[in-house]
Amino acid sequence: MRAASTSTESGAWVGVENNTMVNVKAQLGYTAFLPCSVRMIGDKQISWIRRRDWHVLTVGHYTYTNDQRFSITHRDGDDVWTLSIKYLQARDNGTYECQISTGTGIVSQFVNLNVIVPEAFILGNSEYHVETGSPINLYCIIEQ
């Protein structure tokens, strides 16, 4: 792993550690926020790539996928470029790469997205028999 670059020439970056990994967990059906922290990128652009198929999802503020669930968020002066994935699906699970192409190569940060699928079950027997009008208590457990 390379140390963080401290170049301040035009179009360079500061504070980026190459090949770092961040883990993000998000629940199925909700929105995942994948962060990429970069400072002083000058005229360089951040790209987000989905590693399972090498699909370029975003470059700068532009989205390069027909899947409307993907979007990029960045505010001027902020150090974070966030890839958002709405309505998470199980197939969204995996590694995403945030990268900057430079004159000397590519600097990358990786985000491993773990899509959590909740499981629900009722405690006790799988079958109950009760008389009409009789009370019954069921206890539902939801995990993850």
Side-chain angles (χ1 to χ4, degrees):
M1 188 179 301
R2 262 191 307 201
S5 172
T6 56
S7 177
T8 55
E9 65 191 48
S10 176
W13 61 95
V14 173
V16 176
E17 276 201 49
N18 198 18
N19 295 322
T20 57
M21 175 72 80
V22 173
N23 292 308
V24 171
K25 291 182 181 181
Q27 187 173 321
L28 183 76
Y30 286 82
T31 301
F33 301 97
L34 285 58
C36 180
S37 298
V38 194
R39 289 183 294 156
M40 294 181 62
I41 62 171
D43 63 350
K44 303 292 186 218
Q45 295 204 25
I46 302 295
S47 299
W48 275 99
I49 294 127
R50 183 174 52 214
R51 293 295 299 258
R52 75 173 150 89
D53 59 2
W54 296 99
H55 187 100
V56 176
L57 300 168
T58 68
V59 176
H61 290 283
Y62 299 100
T63 304
Y64 291 95
T65 178
N66 291 330
D67 191 336
Q68 299 296 313
R69 299 177 309 122
F70 290 86
S71 64
I72 190 76
T73 305
H74 176 260
R75 287 178 291 203
D76 287 339
D78 195 0
D79 296 341
V80 180
W81 293 74
T82 303
L83 178 67
S84 300
I85 310 172
K86 295 179 185 177
Y87 315 113
L88 278 178
Q89 301 172 9
R91 66 185 173 98
D92 295 323
N93 205 60
T95 303
Y96 295 79
E97 179 179 357
C98 167
Q99 67 174 220
I100 307 169
S101 295
T102 71
T104 57
I106 295 174
V107 177
S108 298
Q109 293 180 15
F110 299 93
V111 177
N112 186 47
L113 175 61
N114 184 8
V115 177
I116 304 297
V117 180
E119 297 178 25
F121 56 92
I122 296 174
L123 287 180
N125 296 328
S126 61
E127 193 172 305
Y128 291 93
H129 298 277
V130 294
E131 296 292 325
T132 303
S134 298
I136 184 170
N137 290 324
L138 299 176
Y139 297 96
C140 179
I141 305 295
I142 300 175
E143 294 181 341
Q144 304 220 33

